[in-house]
Amino acid sequence: MAEKFTEKELKAIKTVFDKFDKDGGGTIDRHELGDILRELGEDPTEEVVTAVMLSLDKDQSGTIDFDEFQSMVKQVKTVPRQDTLLAVFQEYDQDGSGTLDATEIKEAMKRGGCKMSDRAVSYLIKRADKDGDGQINYQEFANIMKPSK
């Protein structure tokens, strides 16, 4: 992880991790991940929980360990504010087509410190692509970046 947390931040992150690791196994499973998302005010579908799990579970163990959880915290801390979404979208849209394809999404996630598998990128596109063209346009991008109320 490029950005290091302070000792105080790590302690706070560990406290939160332990809160959701209800069985004390040292990992967060799908059910516990759903609880985290609900605690954050989301009402996640199984598809959303699956997509989040796929993007966070780097070792493909089916659970999120503490290192993977720290990566998630780093990502959450760097989510762009709403007023910068268009600029971020345009930066990710490397070919200027007005849409993001799988390659652009994968590269953008990689630059943000989140290496996604082709499977995870395909799943993300499938869930976000409301017009069915196989790419993410700005409105679809904005919808997935906005916190739901």
Side-chain angles (χ1 to χ4, degrees), residues 11-105:
K11 186 175 180 184
I13 294 166
K14 180 68 169 142
T15 299
V16 172
F17 180 84
D18 290 344
K19 174 184 177 183
F20 290 105
D21 179 19
K22 292 184 175 139
D23 63 6
T27 60
I28 294 174
D29 62 25
R30 290 175 51 78
H31 178 72
E32 292 164 334
L33 178 59
D35 291 344
I36 291 171
L37 296 172
R38 282 184 281 285
E39 179 115 348
L40 292 171
E42 299 295 319
D43 185 18
T45 62
E46 281 300 310
E47 292 85 5
V48 168
V49 174
T50 297
V52 173
M53 180 63 79
L54 285 170
S55 70
L56 297 175
D57 183 20
K58 304 298 181 212
D59 62 5
Q60 299 181 345
S61 64
T63 60
I64 300 168
D65 63 27
F66 186 63
D67 287 340
E68 292 165 334
F69 188 77
Q70 287 180 66
S71 293
M72 177 189 73
V73 171
K74 178 185 174 200
Q75 289 173 35
V76 168
K77 286 177 66 172
T78 60
V79 169
R81 291 183 11 211
Q82 191 64 28
D83 61 348
T84 64
L85 280 179
L86 182 58
V88 170
F89 179 83
Q90 289 170 335
E91 180 183 335
Y92 292 168
D93 182 18
Q94 296 173 349
D95 63 4
S97 66
T99 60
L100 303 178
D101 62 24
T103 302
E104 290 168 323
I105 291 170

